[in-house]
Amino acid sequence: MYLKELVDIQMGQSPESKFYNYDKIGLPFYQGKADFGRINPTPKMWCSKSKKEAKPNDILISVRAPVGDLNINKEQSCIGRGLAAITCKSDVDMMYLYYHLKYLKPQLRHISTGSTFESINRSQLENLIITYKSYAEQIKISNTLHVVQRQIEVKENLLSLCDLLIKSRFVEMFGDPNASRTKYKLVPIHMVTDCMVPGRDKPKSFTGEIPWITINDLNINGYTNKSKLGLGLTIDEVKEVNRKCVPQGSVLMSCVGNLGLCSIASVNVVINQQLHSYQCNELINNLYLMYYLSFKNTYMNKVASSTTVLYMNKNACNNIPVLLPPIELQISFAKYLNQINKLKSDVQKSIDETQLLMDSLMQEYFG
């Protein structure tokens, strides 16, 4: 059946900016990507005069980039032009349709149009083909999928708790890295590391085994050893663009856009110009440095140059102030971090396996 036969659809329309506020006056305002959490969205803005409204338990779907993101509306709200609100008819289970639309997201991305921003229109949304089953069967399917989805969310929450545990342990051992007074000496990062800055030329070919690493490839606060796109260079290709291999064990840090994202290179790699690398000397541990830098985002934003995006040049990257506690204490934290990261790795593996089960069930039910 067509989606339009099973639901009522309301396309969003953004009010005039003068009606927006952060004082919780009027209705919660949602306009797309930035407002989406998990099942229940959290408003970042309110609107005192709305043009288009979504009802409680409507399915919210993004119709502009990224197309197909989903959420369940929890209260009467105002929706902007990046969203559509879907109200299920009496013989359609809301969660059944939610999971069905989630399954159709790749199809939505495929039919979307637009050069600068992908988008879908009302007609494209209305004419999606939905596998219709009896209401009792819809309930059974949505309950099964919800149990699996809940398992994924519980495990994802465990990962978040692990991150909080690491942060708490770091502050307990070394104090707040952003405090104005500390009991340890602050030194510019170039005094305890060698720094490598990549060239600007991008390789013309990728036919080797040395991973070509970009920001998107970083395993944040963990180890990075491959390109997600499978890109690698030969020694000759590295030399061709006047690059050097960043040695195993180096700290990799983003210096463009989202500053201070860090990882450890677990093999020799080649980095693009959005990254900076640090090779630690005997005074500083690489795992300690990696995690320390994750606290310095506010500082980095202040010293960065800003054109279209934030950018830290070589001088800014090489002069980040670093707290220097005794190396034995750094190593103790590094051992703790490795233990927690091992737990996180096991949890992530479990999430991936559960996601495969989820994908398999949705293919069975909706494919």
Side-chain angles (χ1 to χ4, degrees), residues 62 69 105 251 332:
S62 58
D69 279 2
K105 182 175 179 178
V251 178
S332 176

Side-chain angles (χ1 to χ4, degrees), residues 32-38 41 44 60-62 69-71 83:
K33 175 184 175 182
D35 301 316
F36 278 62
R38 268 206 199 105
K44 297 178 176 62
L60 302 183
I61 184 168
S62 58
D69 279 2
L70 294 164
N71 225 311
L83 292 176

Side-chain angles (χ1 to χ4, degrees), residues 336-363:
Y336 177 82
L337 181 59
N338 274 331
Q339 289 175 340
I340 300 297
N341 279 342
K342 174 62 169 62
L343 172 61
K344 288 177 65 177
S345 177
D346 292 342
V347 173
Q348 185 60 58
K349 181 180 178 182
S350 180
I351 290 174
D352 294 342
E353 291 171 350
T354 310
Q355 186 62 56
L356 284 174
L357 172 61
M358 185 72 168
D359 296 342
S360 174
L361 287 171
M362 288 202 295
Q363 173 65 34

